[in-house]
């Protein structure tokens, strides 16, 4: 194991929590005997380029300090390599860390866990999704939830979670089911009206919304949650249940498992790990054991 560890930091994550979280995480790694080099980019593209250079140059591990957006960048550099990833979750949503049972907004504890995992060789191989050429660790969403993301990204105020809640309310007012064409693995395409379709490698998105509550990130399969044709009133009743995962028992909701999923629908953007991937159609493939995770 190379003694130098790369600390990959988004200082603006969680309204500045990323910068604060980097210090105790680095201290825990140094106390365990590791040299720490910090990588911070001027923007996402620059950060990813710098991280890829560090990985190519040889590093014992990458410790991502920030939210799901930064973890998503790290996945692009680490997928398919032998370099393990540790996560110090300091963002707004932190769904990747939640799904893998890692500490959330506890940087000192997360740093100690990563350092201990490096010392003891505690590495878990987990799956990643891949769609439109990008890897993702949590959920690919489309439909009502992706339209909420579209609207939220266009809004400047309010900040944080309140912006997402307001975007939900505004999209509910304009809600209409979408005609989907869904293909699971090599099965026949199924045409259906749906409020949303989520393809989960992990269980949650949006800061703990357990849309694919039973997803297991190392079983080689996605959980595909389909919220079917329903009224605005039904969606209003079902959607809040995602925080507990109890929506899966609603008659309007079905869950499928597949290693490859193709979604076709007009006028929708696919999001994965909270980041826009591009317009549908989209094909997501589960890549087994694509990431080595410090746990």
């Amino acid at each position: 194991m190379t003694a130098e560890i790369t600390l990959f930091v988004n200082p603006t994550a969680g309204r500045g929590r990323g910068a604060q979280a980097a210090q105790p995480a680095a201290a825990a790694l140094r106390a365990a005997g590791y040299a720490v080099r910090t990588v911070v980019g001027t923007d996402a593209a620059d950060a990813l380029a710098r991280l890829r250079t560090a990985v190519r140059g040889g590093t014992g591990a990458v410790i991502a300090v920030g939210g799901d957006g930064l973890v998503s960048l790290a996945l692009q550099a680490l997928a398919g390599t032998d370099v393990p990833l540790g996560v110090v979750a300091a963002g707004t949503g932190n769904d990747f860390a939640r799904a893998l049972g890692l500490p959330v907004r506890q940087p000192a504890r997360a740093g100690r866990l990563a350092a201990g995992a490096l010392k003891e060789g505690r590495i878990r191989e987990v799956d990643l999704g891949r769609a439109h050429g990008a890897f993702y660790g949590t959920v690919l969403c489309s439909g009502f939830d992706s339209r909420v993301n579209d609207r939220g990204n266009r809004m400047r105020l309010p900040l944080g979670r309140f912006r997402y809640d307001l975007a939900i309310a505004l999209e509910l007012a304009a809600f209409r089911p979408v005609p989907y064409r869904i293909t699971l693995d090599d099965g026949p395409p199924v045409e259906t009206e749906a409020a949303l379709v989520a393809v989960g490698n992990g269980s949650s998105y949006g800061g703990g919304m357990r849309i694919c509550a039973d997803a297991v990130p190392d079983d080689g399969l996605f959980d595909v949650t389909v919220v079917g044709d329903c009224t605005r009133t039904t969606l209003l009743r079902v959607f809040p249940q995602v925080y507990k995962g109890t929506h899966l028992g609603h008659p309007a909701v079905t869950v499928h498992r597949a290693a490859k999923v193709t979604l076709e629908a007009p006028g929708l953007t696919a999001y994965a790990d909270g980041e826009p991937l591009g317009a549908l159609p989209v094909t997501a493939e589960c890549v087994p054991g694509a990431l080595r995770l410090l746990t």
Side-chain angles (χ1 to χ4, degrees):
M1 175 69 69
T2 304
E4 183 177 85
I5 306 302
T6 300
L7 207 63
F8 186 44
V9 182
N10 178 3
T12 64
R15 300 189 203 175
R17 283 191 296 267
Q20 298 172 2
Q23 297 174 12
L29 290 162
R30 291 187 178 111
Y34 293 101
V36 177
R37 181 174 68 165
T38 300
V39 170
V40 180
T42 56
D43 56 26
D46 180 60
L48 178 56
R50 290 172 184 263
L51 182 61
R52 281 177 165 152
T53 298
V55 171
R56 285 195 301 268
T59 183
V62 171
I63 312 299
V65 184
D68 288 323
L70 188 80
V71 171
S72 181
L73 281 180
L75 298 182
Q76 312 315 311
L78 296 178
T81 75
D82 291 331
V83 178
L85 173 68
V87 178
V88 177
T92 301
N94 305 307
D95 288 290
F96 184 85
R98 293 176 197 275
L100 275 302
L102 300 173
V104 173
R105 296 181 188 169
Q106 300 176 70
R109 181 183 166 210
R112 290 193 299 271
L113 186 147
L118 282 166
K119 286 286 188 184
E120 299 168 20
R122 296 196 311 270
I123 295 176
R124 178 182 178 186
E125 292 189 351
V126 298
D127 308 334
L128 294 177
R130 182 168 56 199
H132 281 341
F135 290 94
Y136 72 93
T138 58
V139 177
L140 181 151
C141 69
S142 67
F144 174 74
D145 42 11
S146 67
R147 285 178 168 168
V148 168
N149 274 324
D150 282 340
R151 185 180 288 270
N153 289 340
R154 294 193 301 267
M155 297 164 61
R156 293 187 176 182
L157 293 173
L159 299 175
R161 181 65 174 274
F162 295 108
R163 179 168 58 185
Y164 191 79
D165 291 342
L166 178 58
I168 288 175
L170 293 172
E171 281 301 318
L172 272 172
F175 170 73
R176 294 288 186 280
V178 178
Y180 274 92
R181 182 180 172 95
I182 304 171
T183 305
L184 304 176
D185 292 324
D186 295 321
V190 174
E191 296 190 4
T192 185
E193 297 273 326
L196 65 87
V197 181
V199 183
N201 182 62
S203 56
S204 70
Y205 61 6
M209 302 174 78
R210 303 182 68 233
I211 187 69
C212 299
D214 296 331
V216 178
D218 57 3
D219 64 353
L221 297 171
F222 293 124
D223 275 29
V224 184
T225 301
V226 180
V227 179
D229 188 4
C230 60
T231 65
R232 184 181 301 126
T233 300
T234 300
L235 184 62
L236 188 59
R237 289 174 181 167
V238 172
F239 206 68
Q241 296 177 26
V242 299
Y243 288 102
K244 294 184 178 179
T246 55
H247 65 293
L248 298 183
H250 193 280
V253 179
T254 56
V255 177
H256 312 272
R257 290 185 172 86
K260 184 171 74 170
V261 182
T262 298
L263 304 178
E264 301 170 78
L268 292 182
T269 301
Y271 282 76
D273 290 343
E275 304 296 321
L277 286 182
L280 270 60
V282 62
T283 296
E285 296 181 272
C286 183
V287 185
L291 180 71
R292 305 179 78 232
L293 185 73
L294 297 172
T295 61

